[in-house]
Amino acid sequence: MALKTPSTFLSPLFLPKQYTLSIFNPVSLNIYRKPTPLSCKSTHSHSPSQLPLSDTKLLSSEPEGTGAASPTRGDRFLERQQADEAAKLLIKEIKKTKKKTKKVLKVNTATACCYGCGAPLQTSEVDAPGFVDMDTYELKKKHHQLRTILCGRCRLLSHGHMITAVGGNGGYSGGKQFVSADELREKLFHLRYEKALIVKLVDIVDFNGSFLSRVRDLAGANPIILVVTKVDLLPKGTDFNCVGDWVVEAITKKKLNVLSVHLTSSKSLVGIAGVASEIQKEKKGRDVYILGSANVGKSAFISALLKMMAQRDPAAAAAQKYKPIQSAVPGTTLGPIQIDPFLGGGKLYDTPGVHLHHRQAAVVHSEDLPILAPQSRLRGQSFPGCQVSSKNGMVGKFNSDGLNGFSIFWGGLVRIDVLKVLPETCLTFYGPKKLPIHAVPTHEADEFYKKELGVLLTPPTGKDRAGEWRGLETVQQLQINFEDAERPASDVAISGLGWITIEPRRESLGISESNFSETTKQLDIVVHVPKPVEIFVRPSIPVGKAGAEWYQYRELTEKEEEIRPKWYF
């Protein structure tokens, strides 16, 4: 068979009908082939990510043709390569789409919320959070100013009204309740999946009770800046070098990703500048979330932070106008509140407080909540050193055996029975001044509590609330060991209230030694609290002038020095 010349292939006689040219010009000839659409097809019900490339097929609306029009092996190879590449691109796009759908939205920006509490705005239920009258809502909506609305509940809270909105498992039994504590906590679960900077707040007066023991469930692996609030309430003469070291020692045992520790006061702005500087340094374009337990002072801290940042950042100055509402009622914030204080990107979020069922605030009536919040500098009340109450009135002072055989009531919320201590042992109570303290002989304690509950022993306040009170159902016996009788043995911290420092020996009491020898290294007491309030036994916090004298700094290894977070004041 003779070989065909190039002119034979270029002849119109050998072209398919659809490619026949009216005027043949061999020089300017461009053979046109209709584009072939590509698609991927699988005969099995695999997920897109599992599509085998071998199953892809090349589909054409036109026949492949014969003779000169038939595709060569090179054409078929190129077409298979193009089909494979198309399949790879399709799989990649599907994976991206699936990844995006799994991401949890941080804040529902489609719904307008009250800037004071974060509750969605609504016009139907007058008593519920987020209520705004219809005329105001329509006017603000018309002018695109819904973010400037303060709901009716927030207006009442700002004027001192006590309106609780959270109930159950850490919420409150009194007041109007619109949401559960568990629902509020669910609003924070997305944080563990976000790349964010966490600013975690802890109340120094209730350090253990407000710490959020399961903070990793919320923060995930995100870095944490630990802010210790209300340090201005510590007793006069406190050495903050000792307190800062004590806090770092406490958090080191928890193995959290803490970048630094800051001792602050939102009222006096102490330490706030250091936090603002640390946030700007570590933010790196990420969003910043303020996290903490209910009533730890998040809204007050944000107000102080914005005030400090406004001196240099005009965005923070503008954000001050619509800052979260501050209230003595735990659970003021009911949803994430977005704030835009950064010029360089990233947002600041005030989050709902985590309501903890083991704090005293969860068991008292809403109107008794202000009693639990210290308003001024703490002053320890020590026993012995005061008179003793009884069912018949005041009966002198403690005897030569010290506290042994006595029961001490801290309001109607705590009872401590002293079983066996040294005659010189002293108990010092640090907590709200409005909480009265009374001591009675242990054999009279039950009758005294029953008679004076709601009267001398408050909260609960009033006989009506005392009748509904379930009593001090949790009873825990503590055996406290000590090595040095001249230093405090430990603190007994009551969640949501304060702490009691136990000193084995205080020479200033002037009580002679009698029944116990120098070898006695154990103190036995029994603590009664409401159920489910928790009791923590911890190393004593060094407060007051005496704290700096007895506190001992621990010697650190080089490795500990490197990984140990620094503290600032």
Side-chain angles (χ1 to χ4, degrees):
M1 179 178 178
L3 295 174
K4 296 181 181 180
T5 63
S7 59
T8 307
F9 286 102
L10 296 176
S11 173
L13 299 175
F14 287 88
L15 291 175
K17 186 177 181 180
Q18 61 266 34
Y19 297 121
T20 303
L21 303 177
S22 57
I23 300 176
F24 176 68
N25 186 353
V27 178
S28 60
L29 176 64
N30 290 318
I31 299 177
Y32 172 77
R33 176 179 292 172
K34 191 174 182 180
T36 305
L38 303 177
S39 65
C40 297
K41 182 178 179 182
S42 174
T43 56
H44 303 285
S45 58
H46 294 293
S47 62
S49 61
Q50 297 173 334
L51 281 172
L53 298 181
S54 59
D55 283 353
T56 57
K57 292 185 178 180
L58 182 66
L59 302 179
S60 175
S61 59
E62 297 288 341
E64 291 185 350
T66 59
S70 63
T72 65
R73 291 183 179 180
D75 291 337
R76 289 193 180 95
F77 174 79
L78 290 176
E79 288 170 348
R80 283 196 299 269
Q81 292 296 316
Q82 291 171 353
D84 289 348
E85 291 298 323
K88 289 178 182 179
L89 289 174
L90 179 62
I91 292 170
K92 189 174 180 180
E93 289 298 323
I94 292 174
K95 284 183 177 179
K96 283 184 180 180
T97 306
K98 289 183 69 177
K99 189 173 181 181
K100 288 181 180 179
T101 55
K102 286 183 179 179
K103 186 175 180 180
V104 183
L105 292 176
K106 296 177 288 189
V107 177
N108 184 7
T109 55
T111 304
C113 298
C114 168
Y115 74 81
C117 67
L121 297 177
Q122 50 90 14
T123 58
S124 55
E125 299 182 46
V126 178
D127 294 331
F131 174 78
V132 184
D133 65 85
M134 183 62 75
D135 293 339
T136 302
Y137 182 85
E138 292 296 336
L139 180 63
K140 293 290 185 181
K141 184 178 180 180
K142 180 180 178 180
H143 295 284
H144 306 284
Q145 296 178 341
L146 290 178
R147 288 192 63 186
T148 67
I149 294 181
L150 194 67
C151 73
R153 173 177 174 264
C154 286
R155 293 183 185 279
L156 293 175
L157 289 174
S158 63
H159 288 84
H161 293 265
M162 307 298 291
I163 306 175
T164 59
V166 183
N169 196 24
Y172 314 103
S173 56
K176 297 176 180 178
Q177 298 161 14
F178 308 96
V179 66
S180 71
D182 292 334
E183 288 174 334
L184 284 186
R185 192 181 183 95
E186 287 176 1
K187 295 182 179 181
L188 303 176
F189 282 152
H190 70 86
L191 286 181
R192 63 189 303 173
Y193 305 108
E194 301 289 340
K195 289 185 178 180
L197 177 63
I198 305 297
V199 179
K200 174 176 161 49
L201 270 60
V202 182
D203 184 351
I204 191 62
V205 180
D206 184 28
F207 184 84
N208 297 84
S210 65
F211 196 86
L212 300 182
S213 58
R214 298 174 61 186
V215 67
R216 270 192 293 266
D217 292 347
L218 300 177
N222 288 313
I224 297 173
I225 297 175
L226 185 68
V227 175
V228 182
T229 62
K230 306 178 185 179
V231 297
D232 56 320
L233 297 179
L234 293 178
K236 190 174 181 180
T238 297
D239 186 341
F240 289 103
N241 288 304
C242 300
V243 175
D245 187 77
W246 182 89
V247 171
V248 172
E249 281 290 311
I251 66 169
T252 301
K253 300 174 183 177
K254 298 180 182 293
K255 298 180 180 180
L256 298 173
N257 184 17
V258 176
L259 302 175
S260 57
V261 176
H262 298 261
L263 306 182
T264 67
S265 167
S266 301
K267 187 177 181 180
S268 62
L269 300 183
V270 169
I272 300 297
V275 181
S277 176
E278 186 78 359
I279 290 175
Q280 292 287 8
K281 175 185 173 184
E282 300 292 343
K283 182 167 66 69
K284 300 175 182 177
R286 296 175 293 192
D287 292 334
V288 181
Y289 288 83
I290 311 299
L291 191 66
S293 63
N295 214 31
V296 77
K298 294 187 301 300
S299 298
F301 168 76
I302 290 175
S303 297
L305 183 67
L306 292 177
K307 185 175 182 180
M308 187 62 64
M309 293 174 59
Q311 299 175 5
R312 297 184 179 181
D313 196 333
Q320 281 192 97
K321 188 174 181 182
Y322 303 108
K323 55 191 178 184
I325 286 292
Q326 301 177 39
S327 172
V329 178
T332 300
T333 304
L334 299 177
I337 301 176
Q338 178 182 311
I339 305 169
D340 302 320
F342 306 120
L343 281 177
K347 301 183 184 302
L348 180 72
Y349 289 95
D350 184 13
T351 63
V354 179
H355 292 257
L356 304 173
H357 70 283
H358 57 72
R359 302 182 76 192
Q360 290 280 9
V363 298
V364 302
H365 193 275
S366 60
E367 294 184 8
D368 286 331
L369 289 173
I371 299 177
L372 303 182
Q375 301 297 326
S376 58
R377 192 181 294 274
L378 300 178
R379 295 180 62 183
Q381 301 184 60
S382 299
F383 289 81
C386 62
Q387 291 184 319
V388 182
S389 302
S390 75
K391 59 183 180 181
N392 297 320
M394 307 302 293
V395 291
K397 297 185 177 182
F398 293 94
N399 54 34
S400 60
D401 202 17
L403 293 173
N404 289 289
F406 282 91
S407 295
I408 304 173
F409 288 97
W410 201 0
L413 302 177
V414 182
R415 167 182 164 181
I416 296 179
D417 299 335
V418 182
L419 302 184
K420 187 179 74 171
V421 297
L422 298 175
E424 305 87 0
T425 296
C426 179
L427 272 59
T428 305
F429 292 72
Y430 293 94
K433 293 181 179 178
K434 294 182 180 180
L435 216 61
I437 300 179
H438 298 275
V440 300
T442 300
H443 65 272
E444 300 179 4
D446 291 337
E447 185 178 349
F448 179 79
Y449 185 74
K450 184 177 180 180
K451 177 182 178 182
E452 300 298 341
L453 184 64
V455 184
L456 282 179
L457 304 178
T458 58
T461 304
K463 282 294 184 181
D464 293 339
R465 292 179 195 159
E468 302 172 357
W469 185 249
R470 296 177 60 180
L472 308 178
E473 298 177 324
T474 300
V475 180
Q476 187 171 342
Q477 183 169 348
L478 305 177
Q479 295 180 339
I480 299 172
N481 299 315
F482 64 93
E483 295 295 331
D484 186 355
E486 307 303 325
R487 300 175 63 250
S490 65
D491 288 346
V492 177
I494 310 299
S495 182
L497 190 61
W499 75 92
I500 305 146
T501 298
I502 301 178
E503 300 174 74
R505 172 177 294 170
R506 182 183 282 188
E507 296 180 357
S508 61
L509 294 178
I511 301 175
S512 60
E513 295 185 37
S514 54
N515 297 332
F516 294 92
S517 65
E518 289 285 344
T519 59
T520 302
K521 300 295 183 180
Q522 181 176 296
L523 309 175
D524 295 336
I525 63 174
V526 177
V527 182
H528 307 248
V529 292
K531 193 175 182 179
V533 173
E534 285 193 11
I535 303 164
F536 303 93
V537 179
R538 69 187 189 192
S540 293
I541 181 172
V543 297
K545 294 180 179 179
E549 297 175 1
W550 60 257
Y551 186 74
Q552 296 178 347
Y553 292 90
R554 185 171 63 87
E555 293 185 7
L556 304 174
T557 63
E558 292 184 3
K559 185 177 181 180
E560 287 177 326
E561 285 281 6
E562 292 178 2
I563 64 174
R564 199 170 190 255
K566 306 297 181 183
W567 69 269
Y568 302 91
F569 174 68

